[in-house]
Amino acid sequence: MSTRTQKRDYYEILEVEKTSTDVEIKSAYRKQALKYHPDRNPGDHAAEESFKECAEAYSVLADPDKRAAYDRYGHAGVQGAAGAGGFDPNVFTGFEDILGGLGDIFGFGDLFGGGRRRGGPQRGADLRYDLEITFEESATGAETAIQIPRQENCDTCSGTGAAPGTQPAVCNLCRGAGQVRSQQGFFTVARTCPQCRGAGKTITSPCKTCRGAGRVSKEKKITVKIPAGIATGQQLRLQGEGEAGHAGGPSGSLYVVIHVQEHEYFRRDGVNLFCEIPVNFPTVALGGEIDVPTLNGTEKVKVPEGTQTGTTLRLRGKGMPDVNGHGKGDLFATVQVITPKKLSKDQRQVLEQLAKALPKEEFKPRKRHEEQDERNLFDRVKDMFG
Ligand SMILES: [Zn+2]
Ligand SMILES: [Zn+2]
């Protein structure tokens, strides 16, 4: 008696809905194919069957005509379409494409003889360089030279790895294919050739300069232009300044990550700068001039009579330049009245006279809503000036 079970529904196999889009079906198939792939399930016959089942289901559902026929007539509608044994090798046309980058990991690209040669052109690796600059450099912009150790093509052998005057020989293990094939159950599995590592060639007399690698480590001096206004964490991309590509592939990029040193006085927030200026009591009481440090020297700023501690002065356009060239920010200087710690006899006398002369005020504790804001000074200033 036959125990043959009824063929499973294609939608069910791929775990999709009848209403699923092509993209959803493709994505579901990708997921299933990876799950059941023989490379991941060596010797597992059930997984192999599931893998074949998925491939068959996909071969029908990915084709609009076959899918329509299947939707209408069921398995009968597509009988024969999926080939003998229910498995159509053609379904793997474009398989690589479905699996994207993972094709490499599992050797999918070569699984069904579609065949992509390894050792073809490859883009060089990207490099990162951490560059520390001073606060002033970030304010004015700068040009600086950096030394980058990177892999470059060997000049002696022009990157072939073979000594000048010699040629790399065709690999005798893979006969130049770069891959070796082995039977694994139902599948022929192609792997990168272990002898030539996919290049298809072996070097019999290696270049002395690079010891056959075709590449050498070199220190390269690169000039980096730092735009004014750059901040910590921002990066500059220098296209083509990364590592050399393989076999004629383009070079990678160099990313220069900026770290700006702290400033003695200024704290930066976006394009604005903040600082605190200690001032003597008479200056704020009588009014006067104070020196405010700026990015280029100091500036005399008037404080009006009766200025309170915590008052913030705004110096327009004295902040950081915008890195995209959209003007400059402001500088906010907060007045901080300081109390002298030591007084001479004369000073003490004057202050005592002042104390007597001042009206007897009843200072009451501040009402809660008037209490000095506990928050950081910079946040308060930001709020004040919006
Ligand atoms: Zn060389
Ligand atoms: Zn080989």
Side-chain angles (χ1 to χ4, degrees):
M1 203 171 93
S2 172
T3 55
R4 195 178 161 193
T5 51
Q6 220 187 333
K7 264 172 101 71
R8 279 176 73 206
D9 178 70
Y10 289 150
Y11 291 100
E12 204 181 292
I13 292 166
L14 294 182
E15 295 175 9
V16 291
E17 301 298 323
K18 275 213 152 71
T19 51
S20 292
T21 63
D22 290 351
V23 174
E24 284 162 350
I25 288 170
K26 188 170 177 173
S27 150
Y29 172 52
R30 187 178 187 275
K31 205 172 113 200
Q32 302 282 352
L34 285 174
K35 184 173 158 192
Y36 294 121
H37 191 268
D39 266 12
R40 280 190 160 182
N41 307 279
D44 183 342
H45 188 70
E48 195 178 304
E49 284 304 314
S50 298
F51 188 70
K52 280 155 65 182
E53 204 176 38
C54 291
E56 182 184 324
Y58 182 68
S59 78
V60 171
L61 299 187
D63 181 314
D65 293 337
K66 287 182 194 168
R67 185 176 175 184
Y70 178 73
D71 284 348
R72 208 150 165 206
Y73 306 108
H75 287 292
V78 290
Q79 216 153 40
F87 182 69
D88 178 8
N90 294 323
V91 76
F92 291 102
T93 315
F95 196 78
E96 243 181 283
D97 164 49
I98 289 164
L99 297 167
L102 286 165
D104 259 350
I105 298 165
F106 298 107
F108 270 147
D110 310 311
L111 198 65
F112 299 95
R116 164 183 39 171
R117 267 287 289 275
R118 307 225 170 197
Q122 252 175 34
R123 188 175 174 272
D126 290 336
L127 294 176
R128 174 194 166 120
Y129 186 92
D130 290 274
L131 179 64
E132 191 173 277
I133 60 171
T134 64
F135 199 90
E136 286 75 14
E137 283 173 324
S138 77
T140 57
E143 204 172 275
T144 185
I146 57 174
Q147 296 266 105
I148 306 286
R150 62 179 188 187
Q151 295 285 314
E152 287 184 18
N153 279 333
C154 170
D155 287 336
T156 312
C157 62
S158 315
T160 62
T166 69
Q167 290 294 324
V170 172
C171 172
N172 58 12
L173 188 64
C174 62
R175 295 196 191 91
Q179 308 154 352
V180 283
R181 286 160 195 281
S182 61
Q183 197 72 22
Q184 197 176 97
F186 185 83
F187 300 95
T188 301
V189 179
R191 297 206 174 279
T192 302
C193 172
Q195 184 168 295
C196 63
R197 292 202 205 95
K201 291 176 264 187
T202 48
I203 291 154
T204 39
S205 43
C207 163
K208 287 204 172 67
T209 312
C210 62
R211 292 192 199 88
R215 297 150 70 74
V216 285
S217 192
K218 275 189 194 161
E219 286 259 310
K220 168 100 197 264
K221 202 171 173 183
I222 296 166
T223 306
V224 182
K225 264 198 140 124
I226 301 156
I230 200 154
T232 290
Q234 291 183 321
Q235 48 188 11
L236 307 167
R237 179 175 178 228
L238 282 77
Q239 213 167 346
E241 296 290 7
E243 300 215 322
H246 286 274
S251 294
S253 294
L254 169 67
Y255 290 89
V256 178
V257 183
I258 301 294
H259 302 269
V260 182
Q261 288 168 2
E262 302 250 308
H263 193 275
E264 220 185 331
Y265 307 132
F266 300 129
R267 187 184 131 142
R268 177 179 178 176
D269 187 82
V271 288
N272 295 327
L273 293 175
F274 300 85
C275 69
E276 284 183 63
I277 313 288
V279 183
N280 267 324
F281 170 68
T283 308
V284 285
L286 302 169
E289 258 184 0
I290 57 169
D291 284 332
V292 175
T294 67
L295 286 169
N296 27 25
T298 57
E299 193 143 314
K300 297 250 182 241
V301 178
K302 276 197 165 65
V303 285
E305 192 181 317
T307 295
Q308 300 296 312
T309 194
T311 300
T312 297
L313 311 162
R314 180 183 200 162
L315 283 72
R316 284 183 192 272
K318 296 289 175 183
M320 291 294 273
D322 177 81
V323 75
N324 298 312
H326 304 310
K328 283 184 168 184
D330 300 332
L331 168 61
F332 295 92
T334 300
V335 168
Q336 208 185 26
V337 176
I338 50 164
T339 308
K341 282 185 179 155
K342 243 185 159 176
L343 294 170
S344 68
K345 214 177 150 190
D346 290 349
Q347 290 164 344
R348 180 171 285 274
Q349 273 185 359
V350 176
L351 262 188
E352 280 167 357
Q353 276 179 20
L354 175 66
K356 275 181 211 151
L358 284 172
K360 259 255 173 301
E361 273 184 84
E362 290 246 336
F363 288 111
K364 285 185 197 138
R366 277 178 200 271
K367 288 177 183 153
R368 286 204 57 186
H369 69 269
E370 288 171 352
E371 251 172 48
Q372 271 272 23
D373 204 322
E374 287 286 303
R375 282 173 307 149
N376 175 308
L377 170 75
F378 299 105
D379 294 333
R380 288 196 323 256
V381 173
K382 270 197 286 180
D383 276 7
M384 247 187 273
F385 291 90

